[in-house]
C-alpha cells in the first residue's frame, strides 16, 4: 500500500561498511534498496511510499541515538556500538551482517610488559576496553582515539589497541597480532520503544520480513 509521506516509518541505515549489506537485506525483505535510493545524491532522506518507509542515511555510530530519541523508529547498528553505550532500545533481531570482532591487539613480537605495569590501551571503545581489563583485574591506562588506532603502538602512544577487525588486513598492515577477543559483533535491528507500541502491527511485519531475509542468507 502506498502511504502518504506523514505516515511513513523512518528507518536509519548506516553509512559506510554496513550500507551495502543492510540495503541488500531491506531489498529482499520489502523490495526497496535504501542504497539505490540514496546514492548519487547529497540528500540524506529518501521516501519509499510503496513500502511505507522513509530511509535516512546516518553515520554508523549515530544510528542508535536517532532511534533511542525517536527521530527514527528503526535502525541498523553494530553490537560494538550498542554495547559500548547501552541505550533504551529494543534489539529484536540479529541481522547476521557486518560480522567482525572487537579485539585486543599488540605489536607482533613485542615483549610482554613487566608484571604490575598497566598497559596503555589505545581505543575508541573506552567503555568496552575498561570493562575488559577490569574483568581480568588488570589495571590499564585507556587512551581515547577516534580513528587510525592501529598506528598508535608503532608511534609509542600505546602498548596495545582495542578495536574492531573484520578481514584482519589493517592489523597485518600495521604489524599487529590479535591477543584476545573482547566481543563478537554482528549488526542488530534496533527499534524505538514508543514506535513499537504506536506501529505495533507494521513493525511486527517489518521485523518478520527482515528475519526471513536474514535467515535466507546473503543475497
Ligand atoms: C575499522 C577498524 C579498523 C578496520 C578493520 O575502521 O577501526 O581500522 O575497520 O578492518 P579490517 O580488519 O577489515 O582491516 P573503519 O574502516 O570502520 O573506519 P574508522 O577507522 O573510521 O572507524
Amino acid at each position: 500500500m502506498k502511504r502518504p509521506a506523514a505516515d511513513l516509518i523512518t528507518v536509519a541505515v548506516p553509512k559506510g561498511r554496513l550500507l551495502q549489506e543492510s540495503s541488500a537485506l531491506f531489498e529482499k525483505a520489502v523490495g526497496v534498496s535504501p542504497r539505490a535510493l540514496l546514492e548519487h545524491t547529497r540528500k540524506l532522506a529518501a521516501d519509499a511510499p510503496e513500502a511505507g518507509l522513509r530511509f535516512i542515511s546516518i553515520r554508523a555510530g549515530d544510528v542508535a541515538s536517532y532511534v533511542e530519541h525517536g527521530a527514527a523508529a528503526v535502525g541498523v547498528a553494530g553490537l560494538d556500538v550498542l554495547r559500548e553505550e547501552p541505550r533504551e532500545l529494543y534489539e529484536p533481531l540479529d541481522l547476521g551482517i557486518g560480522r567482525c570482532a572487537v579485539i585486543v591487539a599488540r605489536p607482533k613480537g613485542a615483549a610482554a610488559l613487566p608484571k604490575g605495569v598497566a598497559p596503555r590501551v589505545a581505543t575508541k571503545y573506552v567503555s568496552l576496553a575498561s570493562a575488559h581489563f577490569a574483568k581480568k583485574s588488570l589495571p590499564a591506562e585507556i587512551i581515547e582515539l577516534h580513528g587510525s588506532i592501529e598506528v598508535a603502538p608503532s608511534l609509542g602512544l600505546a602498548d596495545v589497541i582495542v578495536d574492531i577487525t573484520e578481514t584482519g588486513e589493517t592489523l597485518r598492515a600495521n604489524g599487529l597480532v590479535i591477543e584476545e577477543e573482547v566481543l563478537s559483533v554482528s549488526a542488530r535491528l534496533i527499534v524505538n520503544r514508543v514506535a513499537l507500541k504506536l506501529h505495533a502491527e507494521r513493525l511486527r511485519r517489518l521485523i518478520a520480513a527482515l528475519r526471513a531475509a536474514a535467515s535466507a542468507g546473503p543475497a
Side-chain angles (χ1 to χ4, degrees):
M1 176 174 65
K2 203 163 172 159
R3 289 181 181 268
D7 196 23
L8 301 179
I9 285 178
T10 301
V11 180
V13 288
K15 295 180 183 191
R17 57 174 71 206
L18 268 177
L19 175 62
Q20 184 166 344
E21 285 182 294
S22 313
S23 289
L25 266 186
F26 275 96
E27 188 163 16
K28 220 190 285 176
V30 297
V32 182
S33 158
R35 182 173 154 196
L37 284 179
L38 289 162
E39 72 186 349
H40 308 310
T41 165
R42 297 295 298 168
K43 276 184 61 164
L44 299 174
D47 292 355
E50 66 278 27
L53 302 176
R54 165 177 296 132
F55 293 103
I56 56 172
S57 175
I58 302 294
R59 265 191 67 213
D62 290 339
V63 166
S65 289
Y66 275 77
V67 175
E68 181 180 37
H69 297 293
V74 176
V76 174
L79 192 64
D80 52 330
V81 175
L82 297 172
R83 293 297 172 268
E84 173 65 16
E85 193 179 345
R87 292 167 183 280
E88 288 293 314
L89 291 166
Y90 285 113
E91 279 177 31
L93 188 55
D94 181 348
L95 295 169
I97 58 173
R99 289 191 187 283
C100 56
V102 177
I103 47 85
V104 181
R106 60 174 169 76
K108 196 174 174 185
L113 287 176
K115 257 202 155 47
V117 173
R120 293 165 304 149
V121 183
T123 188
K124 59 186 168 206
Y125 297 100
V126 169
S127 165
L128 286 175
S130 304
H132 176 75
F133 287 98
K135 205 163 65 190
K136 294 159 63 100
S137 304
L138 273 180
E141 181 191 341
I142 308 290
I143 300 163
E144 182 172 13
L145 300 175
H146 298 96
S148 306
I149 319 283
E150 291 87 348
V151 81
S154 68
L155 298 175
L157 177 60
D159 301 303
V160 297
I161 67 164
V162 170
D163 198 11
I164 53 167
T165 183
E166 186 184 353
T167 62
E169 196 47 50
T170 313
L171 293 177
R172 269 193 298 282
N174 289 283
L176 301 173
V177 290
I178 295 176
E179 193 164 79
E180 52 189 333
E181 183 170 303
V182 175
L183 180 70
S184 171
V185 174
S186 58
R188 308 297 156 113
L189 189 74
I190 54 175
V191 181
N192 175 271
R193 286 172 176 262
V194 177
L196 193 59
K197 295 195 172 75
L198 279 178
H199 307 293
E201 183 51 29
R202 286 169 71 191
L203 287 176
R204 196 193 55 73
R205 269 188 276 124
L206 177 61
I207 293 165
L210 285 165
R211 179 173 287 117
S215 64

